[in-house]
Amino acid sequence: MRSFISAVTLAVTFLFNLFPMHAHAGEGGATLFKNPQCGCCSAYADHLRQSGYKVKEVPTEQMSLIKKSYGISDDMASCHTTLIDGYVIEGHVPINIVDKFLSENPEVTGIFLPGMPMGSPGMGIEKEEPFQVYSYDLNEGDKAISLYAVE
Protein backbone atom coordinates (compact mmCIF):
# COMPACT_ATOMS: atom_id res chain seq x y z
CA MET A 1 0.00 0.00 0.00
CA ARG A 2 2.85 2.34 0.86
CA SER A 3 4.41 1.90 -2.58
CA PHE A 4 1.06 2.66 -4.24
CA ILE A 5 0.73 5.92 -2.27
CA SER A 6 4.31 6.82 -3.16
CA ALA A 7 3.61 6.14 -6.84
CA VAL A 8 0.50 8.33 -6.79
CA THR A 9 2.37 11.12 -4.99
CA LEU A 10 5.18 10.91 -7.53
CA ALA A 11 2.70 11.00 -10.45
CA VAL A 12 0.86 14.05 -9.04
CA THR A 13 4.17 15.84 -8.47
CA PHE A 14 5.19 15.02 -12.05
CA LEU A 15 1.91 16.42 -13.42
CA PHE A 16 2.22 19.64 -11.41
CA ASN A 17 5.72 20.13 -12.78
CA LEU A 18 4.70 19.22 -16.32
CA PHE A 19 1.54 21.35 -16.34
CA PRO A 20 1.81 23.98 -13.58
CA MET A 21 -1.44 25.48 -12.33
CA HIS A 22 -0.70 29.03 -13.43
CA ALA A 23 1.66 28.50 -16.33
CA HIS A 24 0.21 30.21 -19.35
CA ALA A 25 -0.60 28.01 -22.31
CA GLY A 26 0.23 30.88 -24.64
CA GLU A 27 -1.99 33.25 -26.57
CA GLY A 28 -5.00 31.26 -27.65
CA GLY A 29 -3.45 27.96 -26.53
CA ALA A 30 -5.26 25.14 -24.77
CA THR A 31 -4.23 21.72 -23.47
CA LEU A 32 -7.12 19.25 -23.32
CA PHE A 33 -6.70 16.03 -21.32
CA LYS A 34 -9.04 13.27 -22.43
CA ASN A 35 -9.66 9.56 -22.40
CA PRO A 36 -8.22 8.16 -25.67
CA GLN A 37 -11.57 6.60 -26.66
CA CYS A 38 -13.74 9.67 -26.00
CA GLY A 39 -15.27 11.24 -29.11
CA CYS A 40 -17.10 14.08 -27.36
CA CYS A 41 -13.79 15.35 -25.98
CA SER A 42 -12.41 15.66 -29.50
CA ALA A 43 -15.63 17.39 -30.54
CA TYR A 44 -15.10 19.91 -27.71
CA ALA A 45 -11.50 20.42 -28.89
CA ASP A 46 -12.89 21.17 -32.36
CA HIS A 47 -15.31 23.67 -30.77
CA LEU A 48 -12.32 25.47 -29.24
CA ARG A 49 -10.41 25.35 -32.54
CA GLN A 50 -13.36 26.85 -34.42
CA SER A 51 -13.19 29.74 -31.95
CA GLY A 52 -9.51 30.39 -32.66
CA TYR A 53 -7.79 28.35 -29.95
CA LYS A 54 -4.77 26.19 -30.71
CA VAL A 55 -5.61 22.94 -28.95
CA LYS A 56 -3.21 20.22 -27.92
CA GLU A 57 -5.13 17.02 -27.15
CA VAL A 58 -3.46 14.78 -24.58
CA PRO A 59 -4.98 11.27 -24.53
CA THR A 60 -4.45 9.59 -21.17
CA GLU A 61 -5.76 6.64 -19.18
CA GLN A 62 -5.08 8.67 -16.01
CA MET A 63 -8.00 11.13 -16.09
CA SER A 64 -8.84 10.60 -12.42
CA LEU A 65 -5.26 11.53 -11.50
CA ILE A 66 -5.35 14.60 -13.77
CA LYS A 67 -8.62 15.74 -12.22
CA LYS A 68 -7.36 15.18 -8.69
CA SER A 69 -4.16 17.12 -9.40
CA TYR A 70 -6.21 20.16 -10.49
CA GLY A 71 -8.72 19.92 -7.64
CA ILE A 72 -11.66 18.55 -9.64
CA SER A 73 -13.92 16.57 -7.32
CA ASP A 74 -16.37 13.91 -8.51
CA ASP A 75 -19.32 16.30 -8.27
CA MET A 76 -17.48 18.84 -10.47
CA ALA A 77 -16.21 16.35 -13.04
CA SER A 78 -16.94 15.93 -16.70
CA CYS A 79 -15.10 13.78 -19.22
CA HIS A 80 -12.20 16.12 -20.08
CA THR A 81 -10.08 18.77 -18.39
CA THR A 82 -8.69 21.73 -20.31
CA LEU A 83 -5.98 24.21 -19.32
CA ILE A 84 -6.14 27.67 -20.86
CA ASP A 85 -4.03 30.66 -19.78
CA GLY A 86 -3.34 29.17 -16.36
CA TYR A 87 -6.98 28.30 -15.65
CA VAL A 88 -8.72 24.94 -15.46
CA ILE A 89 -11.81 24.59 -17.66
CA GLU A 90 -13.61 21.38 -16.71
CA GLY A 91 -16.11 19.89 -19.11
CA HIS A 92 -18.20 21.16 -21.98
CA VAL A 93 -18.26 24.86 -21.04
CA PRO A 94 -19.63 26.93 -23.97
CA ILE A 95 -17.01 29.12 -25.62
CA ASN A 96 -18.83 32.39 -24.90
CA ILE A 97 -18.58 31.62 -21.16
CA VAL A 98 -14.91 30.55 -21.48
CA ASP A 99 -14.06 33.78 -23.33
CA LYS A 100 -15.97 35.94 -20.82
CA PHE A 101 -14.28 34.15 -17.92
CA LEU A 102 -10.79 34.57 -19.42
CA SER A 103 -11.40 38.26 -20.21
CA GLU A 104 -12.37 38.91 -16.58
CA ASN A 105 -9.16 37.22 -15.35
CA PRO A 106 -10.63 36.35 -11.91
CA GLU A 107 -8.49 35.14 -9.01
CA VAL A 108 -9.85 31.58 -9.01
CA THR A 109 -8.56 28.21 -10.15
CA GLY A 110 -11.11 27.69 -12.90
CA ILE A 111 -14.65 26.96 -13.98
CA PHE A 112 -16.63 23.79 -14.52
CA LEU A 113 -19.82 22.51 -16.10
CA PRO A 114 -20.56 19.26 -14.25
CA GLY A 115 -21.44 16.12 -16.14
CA MET A 116 -22.01 15.96 -19.87
CA PRO A 117 -25.21 17.94 -20.51
CA MET A 118 -26.94 17.42 -23.85
CA GLY A 119 -26.66 20.40 -26.16
CA SER A 120 -23.37 21.58 -24.70
CA PRO A 121 -20.42 21.88 -27.11
CA GLY A 122 -19.47 18.36 -28.18
CA MET A 123 -22.62 16.79 -26.74
CA GLY A 124 -25.17 16.92 -29.52
CA ILE A 125 -27.48 19.59 -30.78
CA GLU A 126 -30.53 19.82 -28.56
CA LYS A 127 -30.16 21.49 -25.18
CA GLU A 128 -32.35 19.89 -22.50
CA GLU A 129 -31.92 22.41 -19.66
CA PRO A 130 -29.96 25.56 -18.77
CA PHE A 131 -26.25 25.04 -18.18
CA GLN A 132 -24.93 26.03 -14.77
CA VAL A 133 -21.24 26.86 -14.84
CA TYR A 134 -19.43 27.31 -11.54
CA SER A 135 -16.08 28.76 -10.52
CA TYR A 136 -13.81 27.24 -7.92
CA ASP A 137 -10.68 28.26 -6.08
CA LEU A 138 -8.25 25.83 -4.51
CA ASN A 139 -6.69 28.69 -2.54
CA GLU A 140 -9.91 29.02 -0.54
CA GLY A 141 -9.35 25.74 1.25
CA ASP A 142 -12.66 23.96 0.82
CA LYS A 143 -12.95 24.91 -2.87
CA ALA A 144 -15.17 27.97 -2.46
CA ILE A 145 -17.61 27.11 -5.23
CA SER A 146 -19.94 29.76 -6.58
CA LEU A 147 -22.29 30.01 -9.50
CA TYR A 148 -20.47 31.69 -12.36
CA ALA A 149 -23.03 31.62 -15.15
CA VAL A 150 -26.35 30.14 -16.25
CA GLU A 151 -26.93 29.83 -19.97
PDB file of all heavy atoms in Angstrom, residues 3-20 33 60-70:
ATOM      1  N   SER A   3       3.827   1.656  -1.266  1.00  0.00           N
ATOM      2  CA  SER A   3       4.411   1.902  -2.585  1.00  0.00           C
ATOM      3  C   SER A   3       3.382   2.489  -3.540  1.00  0.00           C
ATOM      4  O   SER A   3       3.723   3.304  -4.387  1.00  0.00           O
ATOM      5  CB  SER A   3       5.018   0.626  -3.157  1.00  0.00           C
ATOM      6  OG  SER A   3       4.026  -0.352  -3.340  1.00  0.00           O
ATOM      7  N   PHE A   4       2.119   2.094  -3.401  1.00  0.00           N
ATOM      8  CA  PHE A   4       1.060   2.658  -4.238  1.00  0.00           C
ATOM      9  C   PHE A   4       0.902   4.151  -3.943  1.00  0.00           C
ATOM     10  O   PHE A   4       0.828   4.973  -4.850  1.00  0.00           O
ATOM     11  CB  PHE A   4      -0.270   1.926  -4.010  1.00  0.00           C
ATOM     12  CG  PHE A   4      -1.421   2.582  -4.714  1.00  0.00           C
ATOM     13  CD1 PHE A   4      -1.574   2.448  -6.090  1.00  0.00           C
ATOM     14  CD2 PHE A   4      -2.336   3.336  -4.013  1.00  0.00           C
ATOM     15  CE1 PHE A   4      -2.622   3.058  -6.745  1.00  0.00           C
ATOM     16  CE2 PHE A   4      -3.391   3.948  -4.662  1.00  0.00           C
ATOM     17  CZ  PHE A   4      -3.538   3.808  -6.035  1.00  0.00           C
ATOM     18  N   ILE A   5       0.855   4.520  -2.661  1.00  0.00           N
ATOM     19  CA  ILE A   5       0.726   5.920  -2.270  1.00  0.00           C
ATOM     20  C   ILE A   5       1.925   6.709  -2.756  1.00  0.00           C
ATOM     21  O   ILE A   5       1.785   7.815  -3.275  1.00  0.00           O
ATOM     22  CB  ILE A   5       0.545   6.049  -0.741  1.00  0.00           C
ATOM     23  CG1 ILE A   5      -0.811   5.470  -0.334  1.00  0.00           C
ATOM     24  CG2 ILE A   5       0.666   7.500  -0.282  1.00  0.00           C
ATOM     25  CD1 ILE A   5      -1.013   5.325   1.151  1.00  0.00           C
ATOM     26  N   SER A   6       3.111   6.152  -2.657  1.00  0.00           N
ATOM     27  CA  SER A   6       4.313   6.823  -3.156  1.00  0.00           C
ATOM     28  C   SER A   6       4.244   7.022  -4.664  1.00  0.00           C
ATOM     29  O   SER A   6       4.624   8.076  -5.173  1.00  0.00           O
ATOM     30  CB  SER A   6       5.556   6.020  -2.805  1.00  0.00           C
ATOM     31  OG  SER A   6       5.718   5.958  -1.424  1.00  0.00           O
ATOM     32  N   ALA A   7       3.736   6.028  -5.381  1.00  0.00           N
ATOM     33  CA  ALA A   7       3.614   6.139  -6.839  1.00  0.00           C
ATOM     34  C   ALA A   7       2.617   7.226  -7.221  1.00  0.00           C
ATOM     35  O   ALA A   7       2.868   8.012  -8.138  1.00  0.00           O
ATOM     36  CB  ALA A   7       3.198   4.797  -7.436  1.00  0.00           C
ATOM     37  N   VAL A   8       1.499   7.301  -6.512  1.00  0.00           N
ATOM     38  CA  VAL A   8       0.496   8.332  -6.792  1.00  0.00           C
ATOM     39  C   VAL A   8       1.069   9.712  -6.479  1.00  0.00           C
ATOM     40  O   VAL A   8       0.918  10.658  -7.262  1.00  0.00           O
ATOM     41  CB  VAL A   8      -0.809   8.075  -6.000  1.00  0.00           C
ATOM     42  CG1 VAL A   8      -1.738   9.270  -6.068  1.00  0.00           C
ATOM     43  CG2 VAL A   8      -1.502   6.826  -6.519  1.00  0.00           C
ATOM     44  N   THR A   9       1.752   9.845  -5.360  1.00  0.00           N
ATOM     45  CA  THR A   9       2.371  11.116  -4.990  1.00  0.00           C
ATOM     46  C   THR A   9       3.387  11.544  -6.041  1.00  0.00           C
ATOM     47  O   THR A   9       3.416  12.704  -6.451  1.00  0.00           O
ATOM     48  CB  THR A   9       3.052  11.010  -3.611  1.00  0.00           C
ATOM     49  OG1 THR A   9       2.074  10.606  -2.658  1.00  0.00           O
ATOM     50  CG2 THR A   9       3.677  12.321  -3.197  1.00  0.00           C
ATOM     51  N   LEU A  10       4.194  10.625  -6.496  1.00  0.00           N
ATOM     52  CA  LEU A  10       5.184  10.910  -7.531  1.00  0.00           C
ATOM     53  C   LEU A  10       4.501  11.346  -8.827  1.00  0.00           C
ATOM     54  O   LEU A  10       4.919  12.306  -9.463  1.00  0.00           O
ATOM     55  CB  LEU A  10       6.063   9.682  -7.772  1.00  0.00           C
ATOM     56  CG  LEU A  10       7.164   9.831  -8.818  1.00  0.00           C
ATOM     57  CD1 LEU A  10       8.153  10.907  -8.392  1.00  0.00           C
ATOM     58  CD2 LEU A  10       7.870   8.507  -9.017  1.00  0.00           C
ATOM     59  N   ALA A  11       3.426  10.668  -9.210  1.00  0.00           N
ATOM     60  CA  ALA A  11       2.705  11.005 -10.447  1.00  0.00           C
ATOM     61  C   ALA A  11       2.078  12.390 -10.353  1.00  0.00           C
ATOM     62  O   ALA A  11       2.135  13.178 -11.307  1.00  0.00           O
ATOM     63  CB  ALA A  11       1.643   9.947 -10.744  1.00  0.00           C
ATOM     64  N   VAL A  12       1.464  12.718  -9.221  1.00  0.00           N
ATOM     65  CA  VAL A  12       0.860  14.046  -9.044  1.00  0.00           C
ATOM     66  C   VAL A  12       1.933  15.121  -9.091  1.00  0.00           C
ATOM     67  O   VAL A  12       1.773  16.154  -9.744  1.00  0.00           O
ATOM     68  CB  VAL A  12       0.049  14.111  -7.729  1.00  0.00           C
ATOM     69  CG1 VAL A  12      -0.355  15.542  -7.413  1.00  0.00           C
ATOM     70  CG2 VAL A  12      -1.180  13.224  -7.822  1.00  0.00           C
ATOM     71  N   THR A  13       3.052  14.890  -8.434  1.00  0.00           N
ATOM     72  CA  THR A  13       4.166  15.840  -8.470  1.00  0.00           C
ATOM     73  C   THR A  13       4.651  16.030  -9.903  1.00  0.00           C
ATOM     74  O   THR A  13       4.896  17.159 -10.344  1.00  0.00           O
ATOM     75  CB  THR A  13       5.321  15.346  -7.579  1.00  0.00           C
ATOM     76  OG1 THR A  13       4.833  15.168  -6.257  1.00  0.00           O
ATOM     77  CG2 THR A  13       6.472  16.327  -7.573  1.00  0.00           C
ATOM     78  N   PHE A  14       4.763  14.941 -10.648  1.00  0.00           N
ATOM     79  CA  PHE A  14       5.187  15.016 -12.046  1.00  0.00           C
ATOM     80  C   PHE A  14       4.212  15.873 -12.847  1.00  0.00           C
ATOM     81  O   PHE A  14       4.615  16.737 -13.625  1.00  0.00           O
ATOM     82  CB  PHE A  14       5.266  13.613 -12.639  1.00  0.00           C
ATOM     83  CG  PHE A  14       5.498  13.600 -14.123  1.00  0.00           C
ATOM     84  CD1 PHE A  14       6.743  13.895 -14.644  1.00  0.00           C
ATOM     85  CD2 PHE A  14       4.462  13.306 -14.995  1.00  0.00           C
ATOM     86  CE1 PHE A  14       6.960  13.887 -16.015  1.00  0.00           C
ATOM     87  CE2 PHE A  14       4.671  13.295 -16.356  1.00  0.00           C
ATOM     88  CZ  PHE A  14       5.925  13.589 -16.877  1.00  0.00           C
ATOM     89  N   LEU A  15       2.917  15.649 -12.667  1.00  0.00           N
ATOM     90  CA  LEU A  15       1.914  16.418 -13.418  1.00  0.00           C
ATOM     91  C   LEU A  15       1.972  17.894 -13.072  1.00  0.00           C
ATOM     92  O   LEU A  15       1.852  18.745 -13.954  1.00  0.00           O
ATOM     93  CB  LEU A  15       0.509  15.868 -13.150  1.00  0.00           C
ATOM     94  CG  LEU A  15       0.199  14.540 -13.813  1.00  0.00           C
ATOM     95  CD1 LEU A  15      -1.129  13.996 -13.313  1.00  0.00           C
ATOM     96  CD2 LEU A  15       0.179  14.687 -15.323  1.00  0.00           C
ATOM     97  N   PHE A  16       2.123  18.233 -11.796  1.00  0.00           N
ATOM     98  CA  PHE A  16       2.216  19.637 -11.414  1.00  0.00           C
ATOM     99  C   PHE A  16       3.433  20.307 -12.046  1.00  0.00           C
ATOM    100  O   PHE A  16       3.380  21.460 -12.438  1.00  0.00           O
ATOM    101  CB  PHE A  16       2.276  19.798  -9.890  1.00  0.00           C
ATOM    102  CG  PHE A  16       0.942  19.925  -9.250  1.00  0.00           C
ATOM    103  CD1 PHE A  16       0.535  19.025  -8.295  1.00  0.00           C
ATOM    104  CD2 PHE A  16       0.073  20.952  -9.602  1.00  0.00           C
ATOM    105  CE1 PHE A  16      -0.701  19.132  -7.693  1.00  0.00           C
ATOM    106  CE2 PHE A  16      -1.165  21.074  -9.016  1.00  0.00           C
ATOM    107  CZ  PHE A  16      -1.566  20.161  -8.063  1.00  0.00           C
ATOM    108  N   ASN A  17       4.526  19.567 -12.153  1.00  0.00           N
ATOM    109  CA  ASN A  17       5.716  20.129 -12.780  1.00  0.00           C
ATOM    110  C   ASN A  17       5.580  20.208 -14.296  1.00  0.00           C
ATOM    111  O   ASN A  17       6.073  21.133 -14.923  1.00  0.00           O
ATOM    112  CB  ASN A  17       6.958  19.313 -12.408  1.00  0.00           C
ATOM    113  CG  ASN A  17       7.344  19.509 -10.958  1.00  0.00           C
ATOM    114  OD1 ASN A  17       7.183  20.594 -10.422  1.00  0.00           O
ATOM    115  ND2 ASN A  17       7.828  18.460 -10.328  1.00  0.00           N
ATOM    116  N   LEU A  18       4.883  19.242 -14.877  1.00  0.00           N
ATOM    117  CA  LEU A  18       4.697  19.222 -16.323  1.00  0.00           C
ATOM    118  C   LEU A  18       3.685  20.271 -16.773  1.00  0.00           C
ATOM    119  O   LEU A  18       3.872  20.939 -17.781  1.00  0.00           O
ATOM    120  CB  LEU A  18       4.234  17.826 -16.754  1.00  0.00           C
ATOM    121  CG  LEU A  18       4.131  17.557 -18.247  1.00  0.00           C
ATOM    122  CD1 LEU A  18       5.497  17.741 -18.914  1.00  0.00           C
ATOM    123  CD2 LEU A  18       3.632  16.135 -18.476  1.00  0.00           C
ATOM    124  N   PHE A  19       2.610  20.420 -16.012  1.00  0.00           N
ATOM    125  CA  PHE A  19       1.541  21.355 -16.343  1.00  0.00           C
ATOM    126  C   PHE A  19       1.215  22.194 -15.115  1.00  0.00           C
ATOM    127  O   PHE A  19       0.229  21.962 -14.439  1.00  0.00           O
ATOM    128  CB  PHE A  19       0.277  20.607 -16.802  1.00  0.00           C
ATOM    129  CG  PHE A  19       0.510  19.763 -18.007  1.00  0.00           C
ATOM    130  CD1 PHE A  19       0.692  18.395 -17.896  1.00  0.00           C
ATOM    131  CD2 PHE A  19       0.561  20.340 -19.260  1.00  0.00           C
ATOM    132  CE1 PHE A  19       0.910  17.615 -19.018  1.00  0.00           C
ATOM    133  CE2 PHE A  19       0.788  19.565 -20.387  1.00  0.00           C
ATOM    134  CZ  PHE A  19       0.965  18.203 -20.263  1.00  0.00           C
ATOM    135  N   PRO A  20       2.034  23.184 -14.775  1.00  0.00           N
ATOM    136  CA  PRO A  20       1.814  23.979 -13.576  1.00  0.00           C
ATOM    137  C   PRO A  20       0.463  24.687 -13.623  1.00  0.00           C
ATOM    138  O   PRO A  20      -0.020  25.049 -14.686  1.00  0.00           O
ATOM    139  CB  PRO A  20       2.957  24.995 -13.590  1.00  0.00           C
ATOM    140  CG  PRO A  20       3.840  24.634 -14.700  1.00  0.00           C
ATOM    141  CD  PRO A  20       3.195  23.596 -15.528  1.00  0.00           C
ATOM    142  N   PHE A  33      -6.934  17.411 -21.743  1.00  0.00           N
ATOM    143  CA  PHE A  33      -6.695  16.033 -21.316  1.00  0.00           C
ATOM    144  C   PHE A  33      -7.976  15.243 -21.517  1.00  0.00           C
ATOM    145  O   PHE A  33      -9.051  15.699 -21.124  1.00  0.00           O
ATOM    146  CB  PHE A  33      -6.296  15.983 -19.838  1.00  0.00           C
ATOM    147  CG  PHE A  33      -5.002  16.664 -19.546  1.00  0.00           C
ATOM    148  CD1 PHE A  33      -4.985  17.970 -19.081  1.00  0.00           C
ATOM    149  CD2 PHE A  33      -3.803  16.002 -19.727  1.00  0.00           C
ATOM    150  CE1 PHE A  33      -3.781  18.604 -18.805  1.00  0.00           C
ATOM    151  CE2 PHE A  33      -2.599  16.631 -19.446  1.00  0.00           C
ATOM    152  CZ  PHE A  33      -2.599  17.934 -18.990  1.00  0.00           C
ATOM    153  N   THR A  60      -5.046  10.223 -22.341  1.00  0.00           N
ATOM    154  CA  THR A  60      -4.452   9.588 -21.168  1.00  0.00           C
ATOM    155  C   THR A  60      -5.458   8.649 -20.509  1.00  0.00           C
ATOM    156  O   THR A  60      -6.656   8.918 -20.517  1.00  0.00           O
ATOM    157  CB  THR A  60      -3.972  10.634 -20.136  1.00  0.00           C
ATOM    158  OG1 THR A  60      -3.454   9.942 -18.997  1.00  0.00           O
ATOM    159  CG2 THR A  60      -5.075  11.570 -19.702  1.00  0.00           C
ATOM    160  N   GLU A  61      -4.942   7.575 -19.961  1.00  0.00           N
ATOM    161  CA  GLU A  61      -5.764   6.641 -19.184  1.00  0.00           C
ATOM    162  C   GLU A  61      -5.811   7.077 -17.721  1.00  0.00           C
ATOM    163  O   GLU A  61      -6.400   6.391 -16.896  1.00  0.00           O
ATOM    164  CB  GLU A  61      -5.174   5.217 -19.285  1.00  0.00           C
ATOM    165  CG  GLU A  61      -5.121   4.664 -20.694  1.00  0.00           C
ATOM    166  CD  GLU A  61      -6.481   4.287 -21.259  1.00  0.00           C
ATOM    167  OE1 GLU A  61      -7.458   4.188 -20.493  1.00  0.00           O
ATOM    168  OE2 GLU A  61      -6.560   4.098 -22.490  1.00  0.00           O
ATOM    169  N   GLN A  62      -5.199   8.196 -17.397  1.00  0.00           N
ATOM    170  CA  GLN A  62      -5.076   8.672 -16.015  1.00  0.00           C
ATOM    171  C   GLN A  62      -5.945   9.891 -15.726  1.00  0.00           C
ATOM    172  O   GLN A  62      -5.533  10.785 -14.978  1.00  0.00           O
ATOM    173  CB  GLN A  62      -3.610   8.994 -15.725  1.00  0.00           C
ATOM    174  CG  GLN A  62      -2.660   7.852 -15.943  1.00  0.00           C
ATOM    175  CD  GLN A  62      -2.941   6.686 -15.016  1.00  0.00           C
ATOM    176  OE1 GLN A  62      -3.263   6.871 -13.852  1.00  0.00           O
ATOM    177  NE2 GLN A  62      -2.842   5.472 -15.538  1.00  0.00           N
ATOM    178  N   MET A  63      -7.158   9.953 -16.272  1.00  0.00           N
ATOM    179  CA  MET A  63      -7.995  11.129 -16.091  1.00  0.00           C
ATOM    180  C   MET A  63      -8.318  11.402 -14.623  1.00  0.00           C
ATOM    181  O   MET A  63      -8.354  12.555 -14.200  1.00  0.00           O
ATOM    182  CB  MET A  63      -9.285  11.026 -16.910  1.00  0.00           C
ATOM    183  CG  MET A  63      -9.088  11.274 -18.396  1.00  0.00           C
ATOM    184  SD  MET A  63      -8.254  12.850 -18.786  1.00  0.00           S
ATOM    185  CE  MET A  63      -9.387  14.048 -18.100  1.00  0.00           C
ATOM    186  N   SER A  64      -8.527  10.364 -13.834  1.00  0.00           N
ATOM    187  CA  SER A  64      -8.841  10.601 -12.422  1.00  0.00           C
ATOM    188  C   SER A  64      -7.669  11.272 -11.713  1.00  0.00           C
ATOM    189  O   SER A  64      -7.854  12.156 -10.873  1.00  0.00           O
ATOM    190  CB  SER A  64      -9.254   9.315 -11.719  1.00  0.00           C
ATOM    191  OG  SER A  64      -8.215   8.368 -11.775  1.00  0.00           O
ATOM    192  N   LEU A  65      -6.455  10.910 -12.081  1.00  0.00           N
ATOM    193  CA  LEU A  65      -5.263  11.529 -11.501  1.00  0.00           C
ATOM    194  C   LEU A  65      -5.125  12.979 -11.966  1.00  0.00           C
ATOM    195  O   LEU A  65      -4.800  13.864 -11.171  1.00  0.00           O
ATOM    196  CB  LEU A  65      -4.017  10.722 -11.871  1.00  0.00           C
ATOM    197  CG  LEU A  65      -2.703  11.170 -11.270  1.00  0.00           C
ATOM    198  CD1 LEU A  65      -2.765  11.145  -9.746  1.00  0.00           C
ATOM    199  CD2 LEU A  65      -1.578  10.280 -11.765  1.00  0.00           C
ATOM    200  N   ILE A  66      -5.387  13.224 -13.239  1.00  0.00           N
ATOM    201  CA  ILE A  66      -5.355  14.596 -13.775  1.00  0.00           C
ATOM    202  C   ILE A  66      -6.348  15.459 -13.010  1.00  0.00           C
ATOM    203  O   ILE A  66      -6.017  16.542 -12.529  1.00  0.00           O
ATOM    204  CB  ILE A  66      -5.705  14.611 -15.286  1.00  0.00           C
ATOM    205  CG1 ILE A  66      -4.675  13.842 -16.111  1.00  0.00           C
ATOM    206  CG2 ILE A  66      -5.915  16.036 -15.802  1.00  0.00           C
ATOM    207  CD1 ILE A  66      -3.366  14.539 -16.308  1.00  0.00           C
ATOM    208  N   LYS A  67      -7.583  14.978 -12.899  1.00  0.00           N
ATOM    209  CA  LYS A  67      -8.622  15.743 -12.217  1.00  0.00           C
ATOM    210  C   LYS A  67      -8.249  16.025 -10.764  1.00  0.00           C
ATOM    211  O   LYS A  67      -8.391  17.141 -10.279  1.00  0.00           O
ATOM    212  CB  LYS A  67      -9.961  15.023 -12.313  1.00  0.00           C
ATOM    213  CG  LYS A  67     -10.502  15.052 -13.743  1.00  0.00           C
ATOM    214  CD  LYS A  67     -11.801  14.341 -13.878  1.00  0.00           C
ATOM    215  CE  LYS A  67     -12.251  14.256 -15.307  1.00  0.00           C
ATOM    216  NZ  LYS A  67     -12.134  15.447 -16.112  1.00  0.00           N
ATOM    217  N   LYS A  68      -7.759  15.015 -10.091  1.00  0.00           N
ATOM    218  CA  LYS A  68      -7.356  15.175  -8.694  1.00  0.00           C
ATOM    219  C   LYS A  68      -6.246  16.216  -8.571  1.00  0.00           C
ATOM    220  O   LYS A  68      -6.262  17.046  -7.668  1.00  0.00           O
ATOM    221  CB  LYS A  68      -6.911  13.831  -8.123  1.00  0.00           C
ATOM    222  CG  LYS A  68      -6.657  13.856  -6.653  1.00  0.00           C
ATOM    223  CD  LYS A  68      -6.377  12.449  -6.136  1.00  0.00           C
ATOM    224  CE  LYS A  68      -6.318  12.474  -4.624  1.00  0.00           C
ATOM    225  NZ  LYS A  68      -6.277  11.145  -4.056  1.00  0.00           N
ATOM    226  N   SER A  69      -5.291  16.188  -9.477  1.00  0.00           N
ATOM    227  CA  SER A  69      -4.162  17.120  -9.397  1.00  0.00           C
ATOM    228  C   SER A  69      -4.591  18.570  -9.602  1.00  0.00           C
ATOM    229  O   SER A  69      -3.917  19.481  -9.136  1.00  0.00           O
ATOM    230  CB  SER A  69      -3.065  16.733 -10.396  1.00  0.00           C
ATOM    231  OG  SER A  69      -3.478  16.977 -11.713  1.00  0.00           O
ATOM    232  N   TYR A  70      -5.712  18.797 -10.280  1.00  0.00           N
ATOM    233  CA  TYR A  70      -6.215  20.159 -10.489  1.00  0.00           C
ATOM    234  C   TYR A  70      -7.410  20.482  -9.608  1.00  0.00           C
ATOM    235  O   TYR A  70      -8.091  21.482  -9.820  1.00  0.00           O
ATOM    236  CB  TYR A  70      -6.543  20.389 -11.967  1.00  0.00           C
ATOM    237  CG  TYR A  70      -5.287  20.468 -12.788  1.00  0.00           C
ATOM    238  CD1 TYR A  70      -4.914  19.431 -13.633  1.00  0.00           C
ATOM    239  CD2 TYR A  70      -4.442  21.569 -12.692  1.00  0.00           C
ATOM    240  CE1 TYR A  70      -3.740  19.500 -14.366  1.00  0.00           C
ATOM    241  CE2 TYR A  70      -3.273  21.639 -13.417  1.00  0.00           C
ATOM    242  CZ  TYR A  70      -2.927  20.607 -14.249  1.00  0.00           C
ATOM    243  OH  TYR A  70      -1.761  20.671 -14.970  1.00  0.00           O
TER     244      TYR A  70
END
